[in-house]
């Protein structure tokens, strides 16, 4: 299994189906990090829709989404559930950033966060405008998640294009 990309290295590219909640309903499309070059991208790998920690995590990010967009950053959530599940989850919690369906876990494997037989590790990757990993956090147990404050600090660093280190695991 591949290891998570190191800060300072190019992020793996991929194409994944996704959905985003809009005022007129869900909008489906294909998401490719390579098409987002020019601004920071935050990839949030989460184990599952409508699970307690994942719900708290994604709700906290959507409630402060403006802090990400003010820095020019886009947030994408990625989990193994399909688009129908993502659309229900987004509608129930008014999540306003794209949720990508990694049903075969190919994206999680490419980022080194797949756990055979279990799904994936709760992880966050901050990519700079050139698609380079500037910061990552791969959880040990996934019972907690990185705060908006932590992520926006890392985005600011990515925008300044200063390489950042790797955060340790959480409990």
């Amino acid at each position: 299994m591949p290891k998570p990309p190191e800060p300072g290295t190019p992020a793996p590219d991929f194409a994944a189906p996704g959905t985003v909640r809009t005022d007129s309903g869900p909008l489906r499309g294909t998401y490719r990090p390579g098409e987002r070059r020019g601004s920071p991208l935050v990839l949030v790998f989460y184990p599952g829709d409508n699970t307690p920690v994942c719900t708290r995590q994604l709700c906290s990010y959507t409630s402060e989404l403006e802090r990400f967009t003010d820095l020019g950053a886009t947030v994408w959530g990625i989990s193994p559930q399909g688009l129908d599940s993502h659309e229900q989850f987004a509608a129930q919690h008014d999540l306003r950033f794209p949720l990508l369906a990694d049903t075969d876990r190919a994206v999680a494997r490419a980022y080194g966060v797949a756990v055979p037989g279990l799904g994936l590790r709760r992880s966050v990757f901050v990519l700079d405008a050139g698609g380079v990993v500037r910061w990552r956090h791969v959880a040990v147990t996934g019972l907690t998640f990185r705060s908006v404050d932590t992520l926006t600090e890392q985005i600011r660093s990515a925008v300044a294009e200063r390489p950042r280190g790797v955060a340790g695991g959480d409990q």
Side-chain angles (χ1 to χ4, degrees), residues 47-128:
D49 295 341
N50 288 308
T51 59
V53 178
C54 296
T55 299
R56 284 194 310 275
Q57 179 182 21
L58 273 60
C59 285
S60 77
Y61 296 168
T62 208
S63 71
E64 298 196 58
L65 194 57
E66 197 170 277
R67 290 181 60 192
F68 294 103
T69 58
D70 285 351
L71 294 170
T74 302
V75 177
W76 292 353
I78 305 170
S79 78
Q81 291 73 42
L83 294 179
D84 290 341
S85 175
H86 287 342
E87 287 170 355
Q88 292 170 357
F89 182 45
Q92 184 176 354
H93 300 286
D94 197 28
L95 302 176
R96 294 293 179 144
F97 53 85
L99 300 180
L100 282 55
D102 186 24
T103 56
D104 62 0
R105 293 177 180 81
V107 178
R109 281 194 305 276
Y111 278 78
V113 299
V115 179
L118 295 176
L120 58 83
R121 293 189 187 280
R122 184 178 314 282
S123 308
V124 179
F125 294 84
V126 174
L127 312 184
D128 69 13

Side-chain angles (χ1 to χ4, degrees), residues 141-152:
T141 60
L143 299 177
T144 62
F145 56 89
R146 301 302 91 183
S147 70
V148 171
D149 288 338
T150 296
L151 298 181
T152 54

